[in-house]
């Protein structure tokens, strides 16, 4: 069970996903929170730039590498609207970040894509723990499912 505070951070991540959608980007958003509950950094997907690697989770891992100590990185938590893709999970692990709480899983995302008639990408939809077993992961969180799915449906409709 998540605390209300944790749900608030997740909601912030989903709000960022909605912001991304409104800017023509894929609806993914992520928030980095310190062990004291302070929002350190947040971002949303920016692939409309043409660079398909502009994922918020990758940006968080890169930001943390230059702004946080090893201990701070390990103690921080990433809240994200969708589970990390293999690229971002790798960056997260390599840069020594801590726990991840995601609203919806990569498996759910793939199921939705099928439902929307979208072909699978070239990267396998591996789970975060397939990339790094020692990352503590919480998700998916049922109450966010409908809202996140709706955002993705709208993205593919455009
Ligand atoms: Zn990613």
């Amino acid at each position: 069970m998540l605390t209300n505070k944790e749900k608030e951070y997740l909601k912030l991540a989903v709000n960022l996903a909605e912001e991304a959608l409104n800017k023509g980007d894929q609806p993914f958003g992520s928030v980095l929170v310190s062990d004291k509950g302070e929002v350190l950094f947040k971002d949303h997907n920016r692939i409309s730039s043409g660079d398909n690697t502009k994922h918020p989770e990758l940006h968080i891992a890169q930001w943390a590498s230059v702004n946080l100590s090893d201990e701070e990185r390990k103690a921080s938590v990433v809240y994200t609207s969708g589970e990390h893709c293999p690229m971002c999970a790798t960056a997260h692990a390599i840069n020594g970040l801590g726990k991840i709480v995601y609203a919806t899983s990569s498996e759910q995302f793939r199921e939705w894509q099928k439902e929307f008639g979208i072909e699978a990408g070239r990267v396998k939809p591996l789970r975060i723990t397939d990339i790094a077993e020692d990352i503590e992961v919480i998700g998916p969180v049922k109450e966010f499912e409908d809202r996140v799915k709706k955002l993705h449906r709208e993205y593919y409709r455009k």
Side-chain angles (χ1 to χ4, degrees):
M1 273 297 283
L2 292 180
T3 65
N4 285 337
K5 194 82 182 159
E6 288 172 315
K7 284 181 189 169
E8 278 302 309
Y9 295 130
L10 259 192
K11 194 175 165 193
L12 188 55
V14 176
N15 288 347
L16 284 160
E18 187 165 1
E19 191 183 322
L21 180 70
N22 292 336
K23 291 177 178 172
D25 293 300
Q26 209 163 1
F28 291 101
S30 313
V31 182
L32 179 68
V33 178
S34 76
D35 60 343
K36 292 174 184 66
E38 180 192 359
V39 174
L40 298 169
F41 188 80
K42 56 186 176 170
D43 197 19
H44 61 68
N45 179 287
R46 298 181 187 277
I47 64 167
S48 67
S49 64
D51 180 354
N52 290 318
T53 68
K54 285 200 176 293
H55 296 185
E57 305 92 330
L58 178 62
H59 199 185
I60 281 178
Q62 291 168 335
W63 181 89
S65 73
V66 290
N67 290 285
L68 300 180
S69 68
D70 289 356
E71 293 73 27
E72 286 169 331
R73 281 183 236 171
K74 207 173 171 185
S76 65
V77 181
V78 174
Y79 294 85
T80 187
S81 66
E83 183 177 3
H84 287 46
C85 75
M87 170 182 75
C88 297
T90 302
H92 184 98
I94 288 177
N95 281 346
L97 277 90
K99 182 170 149 183
I100 294 171
V101 182
Y102 61 79
T104 60
S105 70
S106 298
E107 192 185 351
Q108 286 176 303
F109 180 57
R110 185 59 207 127
E111 283 304 312
W112 299 338
Q113 282 183 317
K114 279 184 203 163
E115 194 183 313
F116 307 152
I118 305 298
E119 277 183 40
R122 300 170 71 192
V123 178
K124 286 186 183 178
L126 300 176
R127 291 171 300 181
I128 293 166
T129 47
D130 290 331
I131 303 292
E133 288 176 343
D134 68 338
I135 299 175
E136 189 188 345
V137 174
I138 295 177
V141 182
K142 183 76 182 160
E143 67 187 80
F144 291 95
E145 184 180 330
D146 290 348
R147 186 175 167 209
V148 174
K149 184 177 179 181
K150 189 164 167 260
L151 294 175
H152 286 295
R153 185 187 286 122
E154 281 176 32
Y155 176 77
Y156 288 121
R157 207 179 266 159
K158 284 180 180 175

